[in-house]
């Protein structure tokens, strides 16, 4: 909300108790993350603002609503410091239904997946949607789109000129997920975004997995403030000693907390005040079964962090890292009234949630009906691909028959793929996938109607024995990704998603086994979180029925186009060697 002199006068009067509070929370134990104290205190709330904390009897008028906290702990609303909510396959509205009842009241996001499929017009619609949600989104303008080297295809290219416009928007709180390689390679759009942010006094958010030594020094000299991606605690320690705020990531597929928290529990407890949490990529299934940031707080306590410190990591630390602590992150006068009612600090079970001064959730459910907006044609899913045939998923060899040695991208985690050399047979000029050796075909199809790019490569680690699966949700460019043991099923999977306007599908022997529609931009849905979770489970089971033993076969597959982590990836531009920042030919050698 825009600040005016009149509004400021009203706020000051409310803070002084010259006008009655609209609500007062009584009988709770305040968890004061500013002073690291816990003590009895009441809270006066005026509109969406905390007006006073402590003895607030002078703030109570005849119409003031009294909320009985019943001895429960009053904790600030938690902040997810880095999240692609789109990877949950839930729209902003549906995502809020899942995470707000678990205590996440704010998130920092680039909403970049929406931008990749719908440009600034779609982004404006999502920003309007979030204003009607109980979940606050502190938006960081993506440093550029796409994030890929070499550049893949998206519907909208975010450039340094875009930054000159959008950094002036009220919704913009910084530059989002600035990937290290773009800084050190002196990419003009990236450096232009950072320079504009410097002049606008906006922070720059980072993405620097495995950055150490001189490369890290150069990255920091580029003006990056924080990072959310470290693969071991030694990396966390080096980054923190060099002045970075660090976010520890605990996502549905990357469980980094147990390792990275050692920087605090084993190396230096004073690091704790500059460590915060993020989930990055979560599924509806995990949020509903385990929780969200409440689960991360519990994991941190289990790892040896005391309750107050863990709560600070989920609240004020993140707010300070992103320079939004004047708005959120603590229960203090002048801040937004985002308050959690927690049964005990040991269990950290969030019983009720207040956001923006309103009680919105109880017993892990929203307490009112929240509806998604009517979707415009800009955000309605449409895949502008031509229908495929099986020949689109057959890798042509330079010989009619024989054998070739190929490079197969071998998955070692959701984002890490290593080189695996495999000998495959060639029949009638086609390289044959080999399920015995665990080598599948994987393809990315450009789906925005720009150039019709089609990339094809080999992948290992999924262990599919038959069938195929496909997804039109595939960060960071959200082109159509297809993987399979045979070309016929790959074509059927791709065509089904093209015809349906986006989603995720598993196919076997020409039959659609499971399908999750994603009609909003081809990447998310307005379905209830419970329905999405049920379909996620069925999709995963269908993939396991094909032979996969990965924790989340579909999610591991749709991360294949992410090039920001060495060594290998695939985009519509082709299979990518991210160590050397170039596309490569998967056929290494024709064998005699």
């Amino acid at each position: 909300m825009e600040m005016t002199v009149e509004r400021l006068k009203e706020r000051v009067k409310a803070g002084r108790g010259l006008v009655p509070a609209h609500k007062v929370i009584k009988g709770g134990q305040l968890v004061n993350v500013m002073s690291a104290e816990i003590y009895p205190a009441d809270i006066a709330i005026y509109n969406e603002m905390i007006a006073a904390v402590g003895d607030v009897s002078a703030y109570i008028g005849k119409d003031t609503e009294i909320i009985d906290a019943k001895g429960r702990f009053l904790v600030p609303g938690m902040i997810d410091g880095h999240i692609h909510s789109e990877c949950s396959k839930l729209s902003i509205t549906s995502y809020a239904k899942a995470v707000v009842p678990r205590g996440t009241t704010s998130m920092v996001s680039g909403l970049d997946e929406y931008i990749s499929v719908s440009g600034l017009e779609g982004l404006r619609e999502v920003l309007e949607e979030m204003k009607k949600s109980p979940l606050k989104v502190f938006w960081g303008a993506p440093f550029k789109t796409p994030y890929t080297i070499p550049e893949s295809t998206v519907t909208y290219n975010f450039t340094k000129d875009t930054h000159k416009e959008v950094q002036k928007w009220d919704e913009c709180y910084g530059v989002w997920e600035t990937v290290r390689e773009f800084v050190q390679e002196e990419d003009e759009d990236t450096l232009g975004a950072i320079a504009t942010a410097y002049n606008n006094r906006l922070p720059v958010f980072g993405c620097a997995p495995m950055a150490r030594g001189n490369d890290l020094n150069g990255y920091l000299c580029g003006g990056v403030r924080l990072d959310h991606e470290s693969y071991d605690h030694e990396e966390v320690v080096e980054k923190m000693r060099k002045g970075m705020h660090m976010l520890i990531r605990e996502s549905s597929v990357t469980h980094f907390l147990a390792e990275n928290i050692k920087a605090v529990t084993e190396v230096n407890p004073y690091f704790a005040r500059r460590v915060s949490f993020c989930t990055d990529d979560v599924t509806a299934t995990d949020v509903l079964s385990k929780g969200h940031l409440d689960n991360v707080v519990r994991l941190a306590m289990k790892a040896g962090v005391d309750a107050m410190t863990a709560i600070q990591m989920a609240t004020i630390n993140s707010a300070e890292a992103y320079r939004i602590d004047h708005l959120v992150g603590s229960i203090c006068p002048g801040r937004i009234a985002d308050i959690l009612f927690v049964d005990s600090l040991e269990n950290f079970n969030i019983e009720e949630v207040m956001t923006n001064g309103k009680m919105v959730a109880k017993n892990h459910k929203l307490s009112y009906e929240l509806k998604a907006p009517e979707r415009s044609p800009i955000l309605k899913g449409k895949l502008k691909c031509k229908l495929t045939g099986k020949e689109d998923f057959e890798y042509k060899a330079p010989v009619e028959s024989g054998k070739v040695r190929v490079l197969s991208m071998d998955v070692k985690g959701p984002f890490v793929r290593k080189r695996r050399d495999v000998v495959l047979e060639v029949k009638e000029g086609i390289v044959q996938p080999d399920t015995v050796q665990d080598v599948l075909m994987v393809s990315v199809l450009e789906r925005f109607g720009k150039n019709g790019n089609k990339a094809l490569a080999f992948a290992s680690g999924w262990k599919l024995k038959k069938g195929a699966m496909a997804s039109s949700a595939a960060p960071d460019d959200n082109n159509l990704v297809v993987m399979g043991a045979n070309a016929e099923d790959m074509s059927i999977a791709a065509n089904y998603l093209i015809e349906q306007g986006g989603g995720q599908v598993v196919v076997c022997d020409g039959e659609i086994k499971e399908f999750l529609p994603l009609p909003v931009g081809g990447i998310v849905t307005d379905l209830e979180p419970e329905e999405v979770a049920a379909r996620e489970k069925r999709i995963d089971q269908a993939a396991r029925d094909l032979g996969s033993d990965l924790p989340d076969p579909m999610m591991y597959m749709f991360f294949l186009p992410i090039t920001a982590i060495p060594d290998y990836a695939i985009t519509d531009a082709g299979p990518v060697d991210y160590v050397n920042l170039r596309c490569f030919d998967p056929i290494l050698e024709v064998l005699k």
Side-chain angles (χ1 to χ4, degrees):
M1 187 181 298
E2 183 181 357
M3 188 60 70
T4 64
V5 171
E6 290 307 311
R7 187 159 181 253
L8 276 172
K9 289 179 180 178
E10 183 183 6
R11 287 165 61 93
V12 172
K13 285 186 176 69
R16 295 179 65 200
L18 300 179
V19 293
H22 293 113
K23 297 181 178 72
V24 162
I25 302 172
K26 299 192 73 173
Q29 293 284 321
L30 178 68
V31 179
N32 191 326
V33 295
M34 304 300 284
S35 63
E37 297 174 288
I38 300 172
Y39 51 86
D42 297 338
I43 304 169
I45 297 163
Y46 185 83
N47 288 330
E48 80 289 348
M49 180 189 74
I50 298 167
V53 179
D55 179 2
V56 301
S57 55
Y59 293 77
I60 300 175
K62 63 182 180 65
D63 295 323
T64 301
E65 178 187 351
I66 306 298
I67 300 171
D68 185 1
K70 300 175 183 176
R72 290 175 292 181
F73 292 89
L74 302 174
V75 174
M78 293 184 289
I79 306 162
D80 192 334
H82 183 99
I83 177 68
H84 301 262
S85 63
E86 305 94 314
C87 289
S88 70
K89 303 176 287 295
L90 300 169
S91 67
I92 286 290
T93 299
S94 295
Y95 190 73
K97 293 177 183 179
V99 303
V100 170
R102 304 309 295 248
T104 302
T105 57
S106 297
M107 71 180 194
V108 182
S109 179
L111 303 174
D112 42 332
E113 313 305 338
Y114 289 107
I115 296 168
S116 73
V117 299
S118 62
L120 294 187
E121 290 179 286
L123 172 64
R124 293 288 348 170
E125 290 191 20
V126 175
L127 291 173
E128 286 303 310
E129 178 184 0
M130 79 182 194
K131 292 175 183 177
K132 299 171 185 176
S133 163
L135 176 66
K136 279 176 281 299
V137 181
F138 293 94
W139 179 64
F143 75 99
K144 70 176 293 178
T145 59
Y147 297 167
T148 48
I149 302 177
E151 187 172 284
S152 58
T153 307
V154 292
T155 198
Y156 181 84
N157 291 85
F158 216 96
T159 67
K160 61 182 179 181
D161 291 328
T162 312
H163 275 272
K164 292 176 182 177
E165 173 191 349
V166 302
Q167 286 189 26
K168 297 176 184 176
W169 292 3
D170 292 340
E171 296 91 345
C172 185
Y173 285 85
V175 177
W176 166 262
E177 197 158 16
T178 309
V179 175
R180 172 175 61 93
E181 284 80 1
F182 288 85
V183 175
Q184 71 184 38
E185 294 298 315
E186 300 180 5
D187 175 75
E188 286 292 321
D189 282 321
T190 303
L191 299 185
I194 295 173
T196 300
Y198 183 92
N199 294 329
N200 287 332
R201 297 177 177 83
L202 290 173
V204 178
F205 319 149
C207 176
M210 307 178 194
R212 307 290 291 269
N214 291 356
D215 285 343
L216 177 59
N217 295 339
Y219 186 62
L220 291 169
C221 289
V224 179
R225 178 175 175 83
L226 53 86
D227 185 34
H228 72 284
E229 196 147 9
S230 295
Y231 275 68
D232 57 49
H233 75 277
E234 288 90 353
E235 186 180 340
V236 173
V237 168
E238 181 176 354
K239 288 173 176 174
M240 295 199 75
R241 285 175 174 166
K242 290 180 175 178
M244 298 189 91
H245 289 265
M246 289 305 303
L247 282 73
I248 290 179
R249 179 173 71 187
E250 182 70 16
S251 79
S252 287
V253 291
T254 50
H255 305 290
F256 284 1
L257 185 141
E259 167 60 26
N260 286 351
I261 203 70
K262 293 177 184 176
V264 173
T265 59
E266 296 182 8
V267 179
N268 186 349
Y270 290 100
F271 284 149
R273 198 58 177 82
R274 289 167 64 85
V275 169
S276 50
F277 295 140
C278 74
T279 62
D280 206 352
D281 310 295
V282 292
T283 63
T285 300
D286 273 2
V287 174
L288 296 180
S289 62
K290 299 177 183 178
H292 192 233
L293 288 178
D294 56 328
N295 177 55
V296 181
V297 168
R298 288 190 290 269
L299 289 173
M301 290 192 290
K302 184 178 179 181
V305 176
D306 66 86
M308 175 61 75
T309 301
I311 291 169
Q312 287 175 321
M313 289 174 173
T315 58
I316 189 61
N317 293 10
S318 195
E320 290 178 350
Y322 284 99
R323 297 181 183 168
I324 54 176
D325 52 305
H326 61 299
L327 298 172
V328 294
S330 64
I331 300 175
C332 295
R335 273 59 165 195
I336 297 169
D338 291 348
I339 300 170
L340 314 180
F341 295 69
V342 179
D343 62 350
S344 73
L345 297 188
E346 291 75 25
N347 296 330
F348 205 69
N349 176 46
I350 294 155
E351 296 181 338
E352 294 187 86
V353 179
M354 170 183 281
T355 66
N356 304 310
K358 298 177 181 178
M359 300 300 289
V360 298
K362 186 173 183 177
N363 297 328
H364 301 163
K365 292 278 189 181
L366 282 189
S367 52
Y368 71 103
E369 186 178 11
L370 180 64
K371 292 185 177 180
E374 183 67 28
R375 301 297 177 184
S376 79
I378 295 168
L379 275 174
K380 286 184 178 176
K382 184 177 181 182
L383 276 58
K384 300 175 183 177
C385 306
K386 293 180 180 178
L387 292 177
T388 67
K390 73 181 185 67
E391 64 278 1
D392 291 300
F393 304 101
E394 295 176 333
Y395 203 100
K396 308 299 188 294
V399 293
E400 187 65 19
S401 63
K403 294 185 178 181
V404 292
R405 185 166 59 88
V406 305
L407 190 159
S408 183
M409 299 179 291
D410 192 15
V411 68
K412 299 297 183 184
F415 301 109
V416 177
R417 278 80 59 173
K418 295 295 183 180
R419 174 171 173 164
R420 180 179 173 222
D421 289 10
V422 186
V423 175
L424 298 178
E425 286 196 39
V426 178
K427 296 180 180 179
E428 297 180 356
I430 307 299
V431 181
Q432 302 297 304
D434 189 336
T435 58
V436 174
Q437 295 191 79
D438 183 25
V439 182
L440 304 174
M441 299 305 306
V442 61
S443 179
V444 176
L445 310 180
E446 185 272 316
R447 60 104 155 177
F448 304 111
K450 287 194 164 187
N451 53 39
N453 282 351
K454 296 176 183 177
L456 197 56
F458 304 93
S460 297
W462 277 262
K463 299 181 182 177
L464 300 187
K465 299 302 181 185
K466 54 185 177 179
M469 53 187 187
S471 177
S472 61
D476 289 309
D477 47 30
N478 293 291
N479 283 304
L480 178 55
V481 182
V482 190
M483 174 181 285
N486 70 78
E488 291 87 351
D489 281 348
M490 291 176 73
S491 178
I492 290 167
N495 290 345
Y496 193 77
L497 294 189
I498 293 167
E499 291 165 346
Q500 296 297 319
Q504 296 183 335
V505 67
V506 176
V507 174
C508 185
D509 297 329
E511 181 183 348
I512 306 300
K513 293 297 185 181
E514 288 295 341
F515 171 58
L516 169 58
L518 299 174
V520 184
I523 57 173
V524 298
T525 176
D526 290 321
L527 289 172
E528 294 296 316
E530 292 79 7
E531 175 63 19
V532 175
R535 292 185 182 227
E536 282 177 341
K537 291 175 183 176
R538 295 202 296 267
I539 287 268
D540 283 345
Q541 186 56 54
R544 292 189 183 99
D545 291 343
L546 300 184
S548 183
D549 62 359
L550 288 176
D552 192 328
M554 185 68 73
M555 206 169 196
Y556 273 55
M557 181 194 73
F558 77 52
F559 284 143
L560 273 167
I562 294 177
T563 64
I565 302 171
D567 295 345
Y568 297 97
I570 181 172
T571 72
D572 72 292
V576 177
D577 172 351
Y578 199 61
V579 174
N580 296 300
L581 305 179
R582 61 176 178 81
C583 290
F584 68 94
D585 184 347
I587 295 182
L588 302 172
E589 181 184 7
V590 176
L591 301 176
K592 296 180 179 178

